[in-house]
Amino acid sequence: MNNTLKIIPRAAAVTHGGPAPRHIAIVMDGNGRWAARRGRRRVVGHRHGLHNAREVVRHCARRGVRCLTLFAFSSENWRRPADEVQRLMGLIQGALETEVDELHKNNIRLRVIGNVAQFEKKLRDSISAAETLTAANDAMHLVVAANYGGHWDLTEACRSIAMAARAGALDPVRLCADTVERFLSTRDLPPPDLFIRTGGEKRLSNFLLWQVAYTELFFSDVLWPDFGAEALEQAIADYNHRQRRYGRTAAQVAGAGAAEERRA
Ligand code: IPE
Ligand code: IPE
Ligand code: MG
């Protein structure tokens, strides 16, 4: 599989934010308010949100982001009015059908994480068809979190670990953080480097709870349908000004960076 993006012209990319984080995870929030401000129904906001998601995927692909995880529907979003839930399901179904060809042509792998077993068969079939078609692609990994919850992810991991222990395939005494990670839905993905939430709320809303342990957090007041390439570049620029210490001191990290530069 070659790595060139066929449809997406790299030259068109806005890149002033600096080097792309390897993995960006986004809570795409604010569609409803975007619509309400225009006197429109919430579904109109969701449609514009989907349009923006397409643009952001393209931009991340151009930028060389290795992995992009988008929160599309949470395990709590079933609590919304039935009509909104139904329309969201329709949008996810439609997007899978219309976008998969472009993703595939651009060597992008699509994966859905979340409790997909609760979706209707038609949606489950579209998900597995898109995942199968794009399974070998490696330019970018697009992960869509649908009916996803961090609690669900960790509970499923606990269940699988307990079953493996009961079957004698895993020694509970040797359980460590790496073991847990191997049982999460994100098992073969790097942890997110940059977490973005649009729409002004400053909470995780049960998104990747385990995985964001050392992720850099970025909260924007911009509503998701308006959070385009330029806003994303500002988030990336902000990220590039952070020092990731993982428990060490600032001087230790600066020293290690300087030593690396001397070696290069
Ligand atoms: C996020 O936008 C999209 C989904 C949760 C599916 P919202 O629908 O939550 O928009 P607000 O927060 O009501 O503005
Ligand atoms: C989080 O947004 C879920 C998605 C963006 C898919 P919500 O709008 O559902 O979050 P809360 O309910 O305000 O925390
Ligand atoms: Mg919201």
Side-chain angles (χ1 to χ4, degrees):
M1 196 41 89
N2 78 55
N3 260 333
T4 51
L5 294 176
K6 298 177 193 82
I7 289 179
I8 301 167
R10 272 181 187 272
V14 184
T15 55
H16 62 73
R22 189 164 54 148
H23 183 174
I24 301 177
I26 307 181
V27 178
M28 309 183 288
D29 196 21
N31 295 347
R33 280 163 285 163
W34 188 93
R37 282 180 195 176
R38 289 160 177 78
R40 310 290 300 273
R41 291 171 303 136
R42 293 178 60 83
V43 63
V44 176
H46 293 316
R47 268 193 227 120
H48 280 82
L50 173 60
H51 176 79
N52 190 51
R54 191 182 295 120
E55 294 304 314
V56 165
V57 169
R58 287 177 177 161
H59 187 68
C60 285
R62 285 195 291 258
R63 271 309 238 115
V65 171
R66 301 298 307 161
C67 181
L68 173 66
T69 302
L70 299 177
F71 203 5
F73 189 89
S74 78
S75 46
E76 288 70 39
N77 286 147
W78 297 107
R79 296 172 184 159
R80 295 191 175 198
D83 174 58
E84 182 172 348
V85 170
Q86 200 189 333
R87 284 174 180 277
L88 282 165
M89 292 299 136
L91 282 174
I92 295 172
Q93 172 87 44
L96 279 168
E97 286 166 9
T98 57
E99 303 305 318
V100 69
D101 282 346
E102 178 176 329
L103 294 175
H104 188 44
K105 282 186 189 128
N106 286 282
N107 195 17
I108 295 170
R109 180 175 177 185
L110 178 85
R111 189 207 313 196
V112 176
I113 57 169
N115 190 0
V116 292
Q118 287 180 344
F119 289 144
E120 282 180 8
K121 184 173 182 318
K122 189 173 174 215
L123 183 50
R124 291 201 312 270
D125 288 348
S126 296
I127 290 170
S128 58
E131 287 181 334
T132 305
L133 178 71
T134 62
N137 295 348
D138 59 7
M140 186 173 87
H141 207 143
L142 173 62
V143 181
V144 176
N147 195 16
Y148 179 88
H151 285 180
W152 167 83
D153 207 355
L154 281 159
T155 307
E156 285 304 304
C158 291
R159 191 195 320 281
S160 303
I161 289 168
M163 306 251 289
R166 189 171 65 180
L170 187 152
D171 178 1
V173 176
R174 298 169 68 105
L175 192 78
C176 61
D178 284 349
T179 324
V180 177
E181 252 159 33
R182 280 208 308 278
F183 284 90
L184 291 170
S185 64
T186 49
R187 61 189 70 86
D188 50 349
L189 303 172
D193 299 295
L194 173 60
F195 164 103
I196 298 171
R197 182 174 187 141
T198 63
E201 309 292 359
K202 291 174 182 64
R203 54 178 172 256
L204 298 180
S205 296
N206 200 12
F207 198 25
L208 307 159
L209 300 180
W210 171 284
Q211 295 87 341
V212 297
Y214 258 109
T215 299
E216 296 297 327
L217 307 180
F218 183 88
F219 295 95
S220 167
D221 288 335
V222 176
L223 303 175
W224 173 249
D226 292 331
F227 193 87
E230 182 56 41
L232 184 62
E233 284 304 319
Q234 281 171 24
I236 293 174
D238 192 277
Y239 165 82
N240 279 315
H241 283 100
R242 314 243 184 124
Q243 187 190 46
R244 305 184 73 183
R245 291 195 277 278
Y246 299 98
R248 296 186 196 87
T249 67
Q252 278 180 302
V253 177
E260 212 163 89
E261 267 171 35
R262 278 197 299 279
R263 271 199 302 279

